[in-house]
Amino acid sequence: MAHSRDFHRQRRALLLGAAALGAAGTAAWLRPRAERAGHNNYFQALDTALTDAALATPTLVVDQQRLADNIATLNHHLGQEYHYRIVVKSLPSLPLLRQIMAGAGTHRLMIFHQPFLNAVARALPHADILLGKPLPVAAVDNFYQQQARDNGSFQPERQLQWLVDSPRRLAAYERFAREQQRPLRINLEIDIGLHRGGFRETEDLLRALSTIEQSPWLSFSGFMGYEPHIMKAPGPATWLRDRAMTRYQEFVSAAEQHLGRSLNDLTLNTGGSTTYQLYRGLSGKLPVNELSAGSGLVMPTDFDLPTLAGHRPAAFIATPVLKLLESTRIPGAPGLGRLQALWNPNRARAAFIYGGNWPATAVSPKGLTTNPVYGRSSNQEMLNLAHDLPLAEGDRVFLRPHQSESVFLQFGDLAVFDPARGAITDRWPVFREG
C-alpha cells in the first residue's frame, strides 16, 4: 500500500513538473524578441534625404514613386470600366491632387469640407465635384459668397453636385435655391447597407424626385451609395457587395420608372479604397458607373487589407529623437520599467521624440513601442526600444499614420521624397481647415 502511495506521489510530481516546464516553454515562446536591426536601406535613405533638406521637425513624407505605383495599380484595376473620383479628404493637398488627376486621367473629385470646396473651385476650375456628405445650408451659402469674391471660372451650376440625404434637407436646399435664385444640382444619398443616413424608403425617394422635378431651381444629377461596411460586416465581402448592389439597383429602377427616363448618363457613385477592386469585371452588370477612392493611394495602416494587397505604403511621419535614456523609468513606480523589460526586451530603453500622440504606428526602427503605463504625449512622446538597437539622439524615427484625412493636415507642407534621387524634391502645401 505504501509502495502504491509513493508511486502516485512520484507520478503527480512528474506531471506537475512537466506542466511547469510546458508553461515555461509557452511563456518563453510568447515573450517578445528583441529588435536590434535599426533602419533598413529605404528608411536610412529617407533619413539622409530629410537631413540634407534640413527638415528637423515632425514631417509628413510622401514617397512620389510609391504614389505613382499605387496610381498605376488603381488604373489597372479600374481599366475602362468605371469613371474614377478622387476622395479629397484623404489627399488634402492641391499639388498632390494635381499629381493624381494627371496620373489617373480624371477631373472628378469628391469633397467633404466647405473651405476645401472653395479652395478646389478656385485652384482647379475644370474639376467635376460631388459632395461626399450633406452640408448645412449655411455652409452652402458660405461657399457661394466666397466663390463670388474669388470671381473664378468655376461654374457650380454645371460642375458641382450637392449631396442630399433626406426630405428635410432637400426642402431646405430648395428654399435656399429659390430665395437666392440659384440653380443647384442635387445628388441623392441612398442607404445601401451602411445605415449612416441617406434615403432608405422608396416612397421618400420618389417624393424627393418629384420635388426636384417640379422645382425650376433644382436638377437631379444621380445617386451616391457608400458601402465601406462590405469589408467590416460579418459575411463574405462579395455577398455583401451583391446585397448592396441589389439595393442600389432597386433605387435606380424605381427612379427610372418614376421619371420615365434612363439614369445611365448621370453620376451613379459608389465604392471606396477598401472596396473598389471588388467591382472589377462587373461593369454593365451593376447599376453604378463610377468608383471613389483616396486613402489607398498613400496606404495608411487602416487600409492594410486583402483588397489593397497591390498597394504600397507611400506616406510616413518622420520625427527626431530629442532624448535617449538607457533605462525605462515609470514615475511613482520604481522598478516597474525593469520588470517591463524583463518580459519585453524592447522596453529596456526610452526615447523621447519631437511631438507624438498621432494616430500612427512606429515602423522604423522595428521594435519601437509606446509604453502603456507611462502614457501618451503630444509634446515629447516616449517610445521604448531594446538595449542594442542602433538609435541616437538626433536620429529620426518613422511612423505610418492610421489614416490620412486628418493626419496629413498636422505637419505643414508635405515633404516629397524621390527614392531614385534619394532626395526631398518638393514641398506640397496642404489645405487650411478654415
Side-chain angles (χ1 to χ4, degrees):
M1 194 70 169
H3 175 75
S4 177
R5 282 197 298 270
D6 290 342
F7 171 79
H8 287 298
R9 275 198 298 269
Q10 291 171 6
R11 185 172 182 273
R12 228 177 3 254
L14 286 170
L15 289 172
L16 289 171
L21 286 172
T26 300
W29 180 72
L30 291 173
R31 185 171 180 255
R33 298 176 60 181
E35 297 283 357
R36 301 186 177 93
H39 292 313
N40 61 22
N41 291 339
Y42 176 83
F43 286 109
Q44 190 59 59
L46 181 50
D47 183 71
T48 300
L50 290 162
T51 298
D52 292 345
L55 294 174
T57 57
T59 303
L60 199 296
V61 180
V62 173
D63 184 316
Q64 193 164 17
Q65 184 56 58
R66 291 189 178 193
L67 173 66
D69 291 344
N70 290 338
I71 296 171
T73 299
L74 180 137
N75 289 340
H76 170 71
H77 285 287
L78 290 179
Q80 302 299 316
E81 293 190 85
Y82 305 95
H83 300 298
Y84 169 48
R85 191 172 294 275
I86 303 169
V87 178
V88 172
K89 67 181 174 65
S90 305
L91 306 157
S93 163
L94 284 169
L96 177 58
L97 289 175
R98 290 190 181 100
Q99 191 93 354
I100 297 166
M101 292 170 79
T106 185
H107 60 281
R108 299 176 183 231
L109 305 177
M110 179 177 282
I111 297 181
F112 294 75
H113 188 35
Q114 178 256 310
F116 294 2
L117 176 59
N118 283 107
V120 168
R122 182 169 54 249
L124 303 172
H126 62 295
D128 176 292
I129 299 173
L130 169 64
L131 268 293
K133 67 184 177 188
L135 298 184
V137 168
V140 177
D141 189 31
N142 288 341
F143 163 76
Y144 284 107
Q145 291 189 40
Q146 180 63 55
Q147 208 249 345
R149 290 194 292 271
D150 292 339
N151 195 28
S153 59
F154 182 79
Q155 299 177 36
E157 67 276 10
R158 293 193 308 105
Q159 297 171 250
L160 178 59
Q161 302 177 57
W162 296 99
L163 193 68
V164 166
D165 62 330
S166 68
R168 179 178 297 180
R169 197 177 309 275
L170 180 62
Y173 276 43
E174 195 279 330
R175 184 166 54 253
F176 169 83
R178 177 166 27 89
E179 291 173 353
Q180 297 286 324
Q181 297 190 1
R182 189 179 296 282
L184 300 182
R185 298 172 72 208
I186 302 297
N187 189 294
L188 297 179
E189 181 181 6
I190 52 176
D191 182 2
I192 58 172
L194 180 60
H195 305 325
R196 193 181 64 181
F199 286 87
R200 296 184 61 188
E201 304 300 330
T202 304
E203 294 77 10
D204 289 338
L205 178 79
L206 299 183
R207 279 194 290 270
L209 290 171
S210 294
T211 298
I212 295 170
E213 289 288 292
Q214 293 163 12
S215 171
W217 300 106
L218 304 182
S219 60
F220 176 51
S221 65
F223 289 136
M224 192 278 282
Y226 188 38
E227 35 65 305
H229 63 282
I230 287 175
M231 295 303 297
K232 298 177 181 178
T238 53
W239 177 72
L240 289 162
R241 176 205 63 199
D242 292 345
R243 290 187 66 188
M245 289 300 101
T246 297
R247 186 69 179 132
Y248 205 123
Q249 183 63 65
E250 290 171 357
F251 283 117
V252 170
S253 297
E256 289 182 333
Q257 183 176 359
H258 182 73
L259 298 173
R261 61 180 184 267
S262 171
L263 305 188
N264 288 343
D265 60 339
L266 302 185
T267 298
L268 302 174
N269 176 275
T270 195
S273 288
T274 63
T275 60
Y276 87 92
Q277 292 190 27
L278 297 174
Y279 297 92
R280 187 177 182 184
L282 297 175
S283 66
K285 302 176 183 178
L286 300 178
V288 299
N289 56 24
E290 76 167 32
L291 301 176
S292 299
S295 297
L297 298 181
V298 290
M299 284 300 291
T301 62
D302 284 357
F303 293 79
D304 289 342
L305 296 167
T307 48
L308 286 166
H311 293 244
R312 294 196 295 165
F316 302 95
I317 298 168
T319 193
V321 174
L322 299 179
K323 305 167 186 176
L324 190 62
L325 307 184
E326 289 307 308
S327 63
T328 298
R329 303 180 65 187
I330 307 298
L336 180 56
R338 287 195 301 274
L339 286 174
Q340 288 182 322
L342 283 174
W343 170 252
N344 184 352
N346 298 302
R347 295 203 186 281
R349 291 191 292 165
F352 290 87
I353 61 173
Y354 195 148
N357 201 25
W358 304 294
T361 299
V363 291
S364 189
K366 290 183 178 180
L368 294 174
T369 58
T370 56
N371 190 291
V373 180
Y374 195 90
R376 309 294 302 272
S377 170
S378 301
N379 175 37
Q380 300 177 64
E381 180 150 44
M382 176 202 279
L383 295 176
N384 288 142
L385 63 156
H387 272 305
D388 300 329
L389 186 70
L391 191 69
E393 290 182 3
D395 291 346
R396 288 178 186 81
V397 300
F398 296 92
L399 306 92
R400 277 183 66 197
H402 298 163
Q403 297 182 341
S404 57
E405 58 196 67
S406 61
V407 180
F408 269 44
L409 301 175
Q410 298 180 34
F411 299 88
D413 294 352
L414 307 176
V416 182
F417 177 55
D418 181 352
R421 296 169 57 183
I424 302 299
T425 57
D426 208 347
R427 300 297 304 278
W428 288 346
V430 296
F431 287 121
R432 294 179 59 185
E433 286 276 26

